Amino acid sequence: MRSSGDGTAGGGAPGRSLGEGGLHPLHESAAEAGETIGYRGPTACAAAGITYRQLDYWARTGLVEPSVRPAYGSGTQRLYSFRDVVVLKIVKRFLDTGVALQNIRTAVQHLRARGVSDLERMTLMSDGATVYECSSPDEVVDLLQGGQGIFGIAVGVVWRDVEAALSQLHGERVDTGETLVGNNPADELARRRRDRAV
C-alpha cells in the first residue's frame, strides 16, 4: 500500500505506507523515556541544519512542535527533546529533496507514533510524491524494483548524526533548568565554565 498524503491509498507498492494502520503508539512520557535533557531553539537548529525562522514556522504551524516545553507567549523558550531534533533533521532532508509538505506531515505523525527501537531500524523512502516506511532490506529492494527514482533516509543514521551534533552543543536539564555544557573542545568559554564548576 502507498499513501498519497491526502488520506487515500493506492496499491501495488511494497513497504508500509505512512499514516495507515499498524502503528505502535509510544506509551512512554518524556520522563519515563529518560528525556531529562531538552534543547533550546538555536541548539536544535544547529543540530538539525535548519534556520531559526524554519524552526519557528514549523512550531507555529504544528509541523514539528517541541515535546518538552512549548512557548507560552512572549519571552518563553521552547525546549525540544532529542527525538524532536531527529524529526527536524528528517523534515529538512525531505524538504531538500522536494517532498510535498502534506506528505511530510504524514511522515512526522508516523515517526512520532513509533517506538525508539522502531526508529533505529527504519528507512524512509520517497519518490517525491509518496513516503514509504521500509524496516527490512528486502522491503527496500522491493521498492527499488519499481524502476522509478527513489531516495531513502536511514533514520538510525540521522539519529547518530544528531547525537554527535548535540554532544558538541548545550542542553538543559528539564527538571532543574541547569545548562549542560557540550563537549566542544574549541569552545573556550564552555571549558572555563567546566573548570570553574569542578
Side-chain angles (χ1 to χ4, degrees), residues 59-89:
R60 286 185 291 111
T61 60
L63 179 61
V64 182
E65 296 175 298
S67 62
V68 176
R69 183 175 64 212
Y72 295 110
S74 180
T76 60
Q77 291 271 333
R78 294 183 188 109
L79 211 55
Y80 291 84
S81 70
F82 173 81
R83 186 181 179 123
D84 294 336
V85 179
V86 170
V87 172
L88 288 167
K89 190 167 186 89

Side-chain angles (χ1 to χ4, degrees), residues 1 12-18 21-22 24 110 114 118 121-126 131-148 150-153:
M1 296 295 280
R16 283 180 279 180
S17 64
L18 303 185
H24 307 286
H110 184 74
R114 299 306 294 258
D118 294 332
R121 296 178 307 216
M122 183 186 300
T123 299
L124 298 174
M125 305 290 286
S126 180
V131 177
Y132 305 93
E133 172 196 345
C134 297
S135 55
S136 74
D138 292 337
E139 288 179 346
V140 173
V141 169
D142 289 345
L143 195 56
L144 291 172
Q145 287 178 346
Q148 59 191 18
I150 282 190
F151 73 92
I153 299 173

Side-chain angles (χ1 to χ4, degrees), residues 33-56:
E35 294 282 355
T36 59
I37 299 173
Y39 302 95
R40 292 184 180 212
T43 301
C45 289
I50 61 174
T51 66
Y52 192 82
R53 177 175 261 177
Q54 286 174 307
L55 180 77
D56 184 54

Side-chain angles (χ1 to χ4, degrees), residues 93-193:
R93 289 192 178 175
F94 276 139
L95 286 173
D96 287 349
T97 56
V99 175
L101 189 57
Q102 186 174 3
N103 290 332
I104 293 173
R105 284 188 188 280
T106 302
V108 167
Q109 291 169 354
H110 184 74
L111 288 169
R112 290 213 177 272
R114 299 306 294 258
V116 172
S117 62
D118 294 332
L119 294 179
E120 292 173 337
R121 296 178 307 216
M122 183 186 300
T123 299
L124 298 174
M125 305 290 286
S126 180
D127 57 9
T130 307
V131 177
Y132 305 93
E133 172 196 345
C134 297
S135 55
S136 74
D138 292 337
E139 288 179 346
V140 173
V141 169
D142 289 345
L143 195 56
L144 291 172
Q145 287 178 346
Q148 59 191 18
I150 282 190
F151 73 92
I153 299 173
V155 178
V157 172
V158 173
W159 187 282
R160 288 185 292 279
D161 288 349
V162 169
E163 200 169 43
L166 289 175
S167 72
Q168 304 293 313
L169 300 168
H170 303 307
E172 182 176 311
R173 286 187 53 95
V174 174
D175 53 352
T176 64
E178 172 191 0
T179 299
L180 302 172
V181 180
N183 187 24
N184 185 348
D187 188 348
E188 176 68 19
L189 182 58
R191 187 186 59 75
R192 286 182 185 183
R193 286 181 183 146

